[in-house]
Amino acid sequence: MDFRHLGNSGLMVSEIAYGNWLTHGSQVEEDTAKACVRAALDAGITTFDTADAYAQGRAEEVLGRALKDERRDGLEIFSKVFWPMGEGKNDKGLSRKHVIRGAEDSLRRLGTDYLDLYQAHRFDHSTPLEETMRAFEDLVRQGKVLYVGVSEWRAEEIERALKIADEMGFDRIVSSQPQYNMLWRVIEPEVVPLSEREGIGQIVWSPIAGGVLTGKYKPGQELPEGSRAADPNSGKFLRGPLEDQVLLERVQKLEPLAAEAGLSLAQLAVAWVLQNQNVSSAIIGASRPEQVEDNVKAAGVELDAGLLTRIDEILDDSVKRDPALTKSPENIRG
């Protein structure tokens, strides 16, 4: 496993991180989840990403139990706050109340006394940004959080947060956690240039586009049994790409390129995001340990410029690049 700095911070993270968004506490049994975590640890992964909203806290609990006997200082554990965790008006968003209580609840569920990184899971249009930034700063000062970051924020939102941090003497954002893969490149025009200037590292999710870039979804064929797309819960996130027959045909054309590089399609997809030097870590998920073992082989792989150009030529206008596609709810409190 190779390691990179998280942005310009001193924190080192594994080039590939293990995340449990759609798996732990919902899609897979706990024994299987623990086996996946074990496979990640055995492969040299030290960075683990979760969030309070994943399976309404159950994902954090499962991850906490899976990591219980590991040396805490040898791990980087990340969580996030924003989405509803109850029916109350203050059980959501980035108010001081929800940020502070959310962190305390995440620490309890994970069985740890600090988070290496705590991220705002979306931008909150209904809370003053100064209030949110001060709440995160207080968590840092209390030692409950070591670094702070954001997830799925637009460049102008990140820029506002950086300005407030500088003016008020707060710790600056060191990470951004966006969706990023060969097909979804909306961070490239604005978020990445800003992040490069300001020392922010990307911790990207969905490097294999929910499995679309593995090539297992064939144009004109039934969904494979047991796949994420066939699951009634996780499958809803893949409806758009799977209805695009042209896209599925183009993904199949990537297979010879992957073979040429000595990689599986999944490994090629993970290696592709890691070619971007602003990416600190790529998050992989798994419902079986073998998926972890396959994906980690992308660590340390260098793809030549010619191969990257051919990927672009094949995918052509199937690639999404518009920064406006990054959206947070206008009013989380409804």
Side-chain angles (χ1 to χ4, degrees), residues 20 24-25 30 34 50-69 72 77-86 90-93 97-115 118-119 121 144:
N20 68 351
H24 293 191
E30 184 157 345
K34 286 182 175 178
T50 188
D52 58 2
Y54 296 169
Q56 284 294 285
R58 295 190 300 278
E60 287 183 325
E61 292 172 349
V62 172
L63 182 61
R65 288 192 288 269
L67 294 174
K68 184 179 178 183
D69 296 325
R72 179 64 183 89
I77 299 177
F78 302 167
S79 195
K80 299 182 280 296
V81 62
F82 173 80
W83 294 109
M85 289 300 291
N90 292 307
D91 293 335
K92 62 193 84 169
K97 182 178 178 69
H98 188 55
V99 168
I100 299 294
R101 294 295 296 155
E104 291 169 347
D105 289 342
S106 288
L107 291 173
R108 174 180 50 77
R109 286 189 291 261
L110 285 161
T112 184
D113 56 2
Y114 72 95
L115 294 169
Y118 198 38
Q119 299 178 105
H121 211 160
K144 294 176 180 176

Side-chain angles (χ1 to χ4, degrees), residues 46 94 118 239 300:
T46 60
L94 297 177
Y118 198 38
R239 260 180 222 132

